[in-house]
Structure formats: structure tokens, C-alpha cells
Amino acid sequence: MTVSEERVQAIRHRLKEVQSLPTLPPIVSKLNRMVEDEEVTAEQLGRVIEKDQVLTSKLLKMVNSSFFGFPQRISTVSNAIVLLGFNVIKTLIVTSSIFEVMQESDVGLWEHSLGCATAAGILARRRGVKNPEEISTAGLIHDLGKIVVRSELPEDYARVQDLVAARQVAMREAELEVLGVGHGEIGGWLARQWNLPDRLVRPIEAHHHPETAGEFRELAAIVHFADILVRAVGFGFGGDPWVPPLDHEAWERIKFGRSVAREILAELDDKLLELQDFTMEIQRIGED
Amino acid sequence: MQRISIAQAGPGMVTAKDVLAPDGRVLCGPGVTLTAEIIERLARSGVTVLTVEGRPVKVPGEKSLKERLRDLDARFARVKDDPVLVALMKLIAQHWIEEERGPARPAGGPTPAP
């Protein structure tokens, strides 16, 4: 049974409403307006964000977490903006409410997302990609589509899960059958709706078929392989237990040999250990 | 490599990474064999967690190496026809085995049974 084009359109239309569901904090539109003004400094942006103490404490936790891997502690929002760039900060603010949903409803997916961010950062830094933190961030939200389907289309989500369990198919295949569209694409729609930059949107939407990401093919390939790596070592849970197929064209773009792979695995191991502390800590923020 | 709480630290364990005070100061580097006295000093300086070589602390419910290798194999069940991914799987297995038993001899370490 294939799902008709109309159904995909209907889903798309429903998700258009999503903007009001995982609410876009009003602060984001204010920041967007400020950023359009060439004169605005990181200092001024930081001051606006710091008025919200809870958001600030979450933001600083995130920017100091091991997946960004800054050696020294970042203690102010304006420093975070200078070091990580406004795109990353904005993305973390926009998605912070979604992460809360994720932490409460699907710890496995949250850990998978953090792990993917970590692996993507390691790969991006090794390849000398400009702004590797943006690629970490793309890794962090690569499965945005899954969490949105879960919270906005719960019946469809249950059917997807049943299919995964009953027929032992990968989550992506089940999504295509039930929804007619995969989580990558859904995540891409949302990210676009939130005006996130293409450098983040395209790798999210193409993380299972990186060659479709146009000029962002290399970045999509990194997120694609980071997803594979973190599933391979068994950190977190991305909705089904299997390592997804490798896109060989993408692999040709970013491939490395065994000795580099060993270094990457060791570095990933290290960082994932630190992450476990971080996941425990971030869950405590709301409780303090 | 294992991350443990200071309460689990025991004499003879070897640090695998810098041990940090709460303010970020490095109190001791990697490769240091812990003694009762060092552990006492670290605890007094406010250290709560540290990373040590190997897996000296048994965590209840933690999987054995054998179980972890079996799970690894199961995760790769769908991609066994892909030489790149199979190579990745073998590297991960080797990495875990070395971590558990110390680096394998250069004559090629043991490989997990298929």
C-alpha cells in the first residue's frame, strides 16, 4: 500500500501548524530582528538572552558540553555567540523546548542525538570544515523529524513503531510506508520554517541520502556517517537497533583509513564518557 | 577506560586522563597509579569523578565484553554485505577488546568469533 501524494501534503500542512506547538520562544523573533541589524554586537544579543535565566543556564550547559569540545569554560552568552556563531546559538534556543520533550519522552533518542552531535563534531574538525560547531549542531538535531512525528502525529508514530517491531524494518522504511515521507525530510521542513541556515537544514534533510544535499553534500555526508558511527558503538537509541546502510558516494567524499578510524573511535569513546555525565546534569537543570 | 566516582577509586588503579578539581585545575595527569594517599588528597580537593584505565569497577547490570560484542554483531546484521561497514565493526570490536585487556600484541590482536 503506498501513501498518496495528498497524504504527504496533508502531513506537511499539519506540520506547518507545528510552529505554534513546540513553541518558538518570542525571544527568537526578537533576536532575528536584532541580527538583521548590522550594528548589533554579540554583547547586545547576549544581554537579551541573559534576561531569561533558565534559557541562559540551559544554553551555557549545552555550549560547554563535550560535543562542542571547547577546552575552556564558556561563561557568558555573548562569548558563546562569538565562539560558536549566532546560527548555533539560535538553533539551540529554537530547539531547546524540543529537547525538553525529547529528554522526557525518549531518552534513547536524546542520547542518540547527543552522540551524533559528538561524532559529527569529531569528523568535521578532522576534515577542517569551517565552523565545525554548526555541523555538531546539525548532528544534534538530525532526528528532529522523529520527535515531531512522535509529539504531533502520535497515532502515525504508534503505527510506525508497530511496523518496526512486527516486520523488523528500519524506522525509515516504516515511516515511508505510514507517512509517505521520512523523518529527514520532515526535520528539514521544520528547520526551514524556523529560518535555520541551509548549512544546517540540508544535512538534516539529507542525512540518509547525502548526495542530494547539493553544495552541502560534504556536510550531509559527515552527519550521515556520524549517525552510523554512534549507532555502531551502541550509544543511545535511534528508534530501531540497526546500523543503517552506508551511502558509498558519501563515503568516497569523506573516507579515511583504519588508523584514522582507530583514532576517531578512541576520541569518540572519550567524549561519550563525558556525555554521560552531561546527560545526567542537564536533566537536573529543570529540577533545581 | 572507565569513568568512576571517587568513592569507587582504589589503590593500584591507573588514571587514564587528567583528574580535574571542580574549578578546572589539573590535579594529576594520566598514567598515575593511585595510592590510598593520592585518592584521599583528590577527594579533599573536591574531585567527584575520574577516568581510569581498563574496567576495574564492576557495574551491576553492565554487560560483559562478550555480550557487548554479540550486541555489536546484531546491530550490524543488516549491513553484513558492506565491506566498509564490516571493517568498521571489526575495528570497534578490536577497540573494545584492547580497552578491556590492554593493547593486543602487535602480532595482530584477537578477533571476535563471527
Side-chain angles (χ1 to χ4, degrees), chain B residues 6-35:
Chain B
I6 191 78
Q8 295 169 313
M13 292 180 187
V14 179
T15 57
K17 293 168 78 172
D18 283 342
V19 182
L20 303 179
D23 62 6
R25 272 180 313 135
V26 177
L27 299 171
C28 111
V32 175
T33 305
L34 297 176
T35 61

Side-chain angles (χ1 to χ4, degrees), chain B residues 38-107:
Chain B
I38 295 176
I39 295 168
E40 170 71 19
R41 243 199 345 247
L42 294 176
R44 267 207 310 271
S45 311
V47 171
T48 51
V49 285
L50 63 161
T51 308
V52 292
E53 291 291 357
R55 286 186 172 271
V57 178
K58 287 279 160 283
V59 180
E62 193 181 58
K63 291 182 168 167
S64 68
L65 177 63
K66 200 169 161 184
E67 284 173 308
R68 287 165 64 217
L69 292 173
R70 204 186 43 222
D71 291 349
L72 174 72
D73 196 72
R75 287 196 294 275
F76 277 83
R78 306 258 159 131
V79 290
K80 284 286 170 68
D81 56 349
D82 185 323
V84 176
L85 292 178
V86 170
L88 174 67
M89 182 181 88
K90 288 183 175 155
L91 282 173
I92 293 171
Q94 203 180 345
H95 179 71
W96 287 350
I97 291 165
E98 284 175 10
E99 193 184 54
E100 188 99 357
R101 306 185 186 155
R105 279 181 296 283

Side-chain angles (χ1 to χ4, degrees), chain A residues 11-58:
Chain A
I11 286 174
R12 203 168 174 154
H13 187 76
R14 273 183 57 190
L15 288 172
K16 276 259 191 300
E17 321 281 295
V18 163
Q19 210 162 354
S20 60
L21 288 153
T23 44
L24 257 194
I27 189 172
V28 173
S29 37
K30 180 167 183 179
L31 291 169
N32 279 338
R33 276 197 307 276
M34 286 176 74
V35 171
E36 277 165 27
D37 174 359
E38 299 281 314
E39 302 293 296
V40 157
T41 62
E43 196 82 35
Q44 289 166 307
L45 286 170
R47 270 204 299 274
V48 170
I49 297 168
E50 280 173 350
K51 287 202 176 102
D52 183 335
Q53 283 180 351
V54 176
L55 182 62
T56 299
S57 113
K58 276 190 201 145

Side-chain angles (χ1 to χ4, degrees), chain A residues 23 58 63 65 77 83 94-95 117 134 152 158 174 179 182 189-190 212 232 236 238 245 247 286:
Chain A
T23 44
K58 276 190 201 145
V63 299
S65 65
V77 175
L83 287 166
V94 166
T95 49
E134 287 184 355
E152 306 310 321
L179 303 163
W189 293 342
L190 279 160
T212 60
D247 182 305

Side-chain angles (χ1 to χ4, degrees), chain A residues 24 28 32 86-95 137-138 141 144 187-202 204:
Chain A
L24 257 194
V28 173
N32 279 338
F86 181 67
N87 278 338
V88 170
I89 302 303
K90 178 170 121 178
T91 306
L92 292 176
I93 295 174
V94 166
T95 49
T137 308
I141 57 177
L144 190 67
W189 293 342
L190 279 160
R192 228 177 233 113
Q193 217 162 286
W194 291 330
N195 291 323
L196 298 183
D198 273 346
R199 263 175 81 82
L200 270 85
V201 174
R202 301 294 294 275
I204 294 167

